[in-house]
Amino acid sequence: MFKTVLKWKLIICASLLMQFQFPAYSQTKIERSFIYSQAELSQVVELTSNFEVILTVKKKIRVFNQDGLDHAYIGIFHDEFTSIEKFRGEITDPKTGKRIDRLKKKDLTDVSRISNMSIYEDSRISYYELKTGRFPIEVEWEYTTKTDGNVGLPIWRPAPNDHQRVSSSYFKIIYPNHLGLRYKAENIGESPKITHKVGITQLEWELKDHFVLEEPDEEDEIMIKFAPNHFSMEGYSSNMETWKGFGQWIQKLNKGKSVLPEKAKTKVAELIAGREKEVEKIRVLYQYLQDNYRYVSIQLGIGGLMPMSATEVFAMKYGDCKGLSMFMKALLQEAGIPSNYTLVKAGEDAGEVEADFSSNQFNHVILQVPLEKDTVWLECTSKTLPAGFLGDFTMGRNVLVINEEGGALQSTPKYNSTEFNQITINSQFSLLENGNAKVLQTKTMTGLAAQPYVNRYFWQDREDFEKFIYHDLGYSGAHIEKYDLKIDKMKNVPIAEFEHETFLQQFYQSTRKRIIITPKFHKVNSRDIRNHFLHWEEKLNILNLEGMEIESAAPDLSLSEELFEYERVLLFEASELKIGRTVNLHFSEETEEEDIDQVLKKIEKLDSQPIFLKK
């Protein structure tokens, strides 16, 4: 049985669906409100003895309204290894059964799938988008692709869209016994129907009458993942049953790639001259990489998996994550420091690599430098991170370290303390007439907190960066008159210092007898808590309060609870109002999002305490 972890909304909808009986083309108003389409899906995967993967997909989608048009989107990926062998389709009016149009391969639009940061890739997509205001309408299509190499196999997602009723979803995979196959089912408990023929095994699954109202969380999604035991690509073969075997395949791809030309060897000797400590050598070589080489992705054929050689990177002054990591490995090797090419599943919101299912789950490469008393991790595509700091793009992940024996799973640092996530803000507000003010502010961000400013400063244009600044400051009626960003990457963690001078409208309220000031502390958001920890210190100095005295203000506060500490102090002297606020957040990995939200709302309420001053 499928796990009963689906949300209550899904259960309610499933019961409603049984009542509706799904007539051929008429819908009630209730049905139209949450059912966009109805689907019949079939997917057959055949693995051949020469490591080909033949995929045949059949889909019939009945679209009930405008929102369901996306469900009828036809997209077929192909590249140097994958070819579209055949395609056919048709569009039908389900009310009359008459065919409206017939689709052929020439009707598909074929475009390059060049990703961000790539200058060229051979990855392409042939697609067709249904555009109509006529409902209901039915689209049926079938295609077959052939892939040379079985490094990666299709994932079966039997219910691919929310707001879609899946009448039936069928999956079959056929493979030669000598190749072997493993699978991992997520949120589906049924065992497959297994058929054995001479030298061949066939596995089949089928899901019927299924409906999902909202896109499920990743841990709730129904899917089955597959991986071969024996695999090959362009003549490079290995066994994927263990991480060691997969690592041995990466070793084959990397063989001979870490050789430096003589000119590069001379440069290494020049850079490390007079430096005795390994850490110093690592830093100076990493700095050389960051200052002189840029990240450019060129994904062509097996080059999407095989790195450029260190010689090529040295000559061209660019490379992708694989090429730059290999080049850095070669630099360190020349300096007498061994390092390990390392595969990682990168991304702020990337799911964890499944340790119990050895397969190609990775999308990025970094470098591990194992020293006697420490391990230094290097993100070789970054121009801003200090040596040894990975940031949230790859922190706290299972990674495959390619070593002499093959591959072994290890973990990158989690940075789970406030040392790696700190914000300090010092603000001086000069009160002007009519409730306006001018603020001189310095925001110092350490570790993970520095990343948003540093990354956007380097990768966004000026206009987009300034939009980000305004949004981050959170002041209404603000006009930034000037700003400056300083970046320090010479310490163990990055530090960014942002200074600005800004004019503020309606900073305070003024009446005949008093003025009212609500301290403008920066709002703490969940996105600021990148490692479950955060130390945030903020000091406000408000000037030009001559002849005034405090009439009413919240008392100083020191609060300590299970998930956070909060302290606020206020001092008024010499016509200057000084307010300080310190927040320490320390959540565990098991802390629920709802609990985090409740803490942040409580902090926001504590921050928003008005101060009344008499004239």
Side-chain angles (χ1 to χ4, degrees), residues 91-187:
I91 302 171
T92 306
D93 181 348
K95 292 182 180 180
T96 64
K98 290 183 178 181
R99 185 171 62 222
I100 298 171
D101 199 2
R102 179 176 287 166
L103 301 176
K104 297 180 180 179
K105 190 175 177 180
K106 65 180 179 62
D107 297 314
L108 302 177
T109 301
D110 187 70
V111 294
S112 174
R113 291 179 64 229
I114 295 179
S115 60
N116 293 337
M117 308 307 300
S118 291
I119 61 171
Y120 189 76
E121 295 183 7
D122 61 11
S123 181
R124 304 187 66 82
I125 182 171
S126 292
Y127 71 93
Y128 177 83
E129 289 182 285
L130 178 65
K131 296 180 180 179
T132 183
R134 177 180 181 176
F135 302 105
I137 196 165
E138 190 167 275
V139 186
E140 184 175 2
W141 70 95
E142 176 183 351
Y143 66 86
T144 298
T145 62
K146 183 174 73 173
T147 302
D148 295 326
N150 64 336
V151 176
L153 298 180
I155 296 173
W156 183 46
R157 290 182 169 88
N161 298 300
D162 54 78
H163 293 275
Q164 181 178 64
R165 184 215 178 193
V166 178
S167 301
S168 66
S169 185
Y170 172 77
F171 184 89
K172 177 167 68 175
I173 189 164
I174 307 161
Y175 64 94
N177 294 337
H178 70 274
L179 289 186
L181 182 79
R182 293 164 292 122
Y183 69 87
K184 184 171 185 180
E186 304 283 355
N187 300 311

Side-chain angles (χ1 to χ4, degrees), residues 11-56:
I11 297 170
I12 292 173
C13 288
S15 64
L16 288 171
L17 289 173
M18 289 187 286
Q19 296 174 31
F20 292 148
Q21 298 300 309
F22 283 92
Y25 51 82
S26 65
Q27 281 186 294
T28 67
K29 289 182 179 180
I30 297 176
E31 287 176 284
R32 285 196 298 271
S33 68
F34 61 82
I35 302 170
Y36 301 164
S37 72
Q38 184 172 329
E40 295 176 24
L41 311 170
S42 171
Q43 197 170 337
V44 177
V45 180
E46 182 180 0
L47 312 184
T48 69
S49 293
N50 59 347
F51 304 104
E52 291 178 335
V53 181
I54 299 170
L55 169 66
T56 299

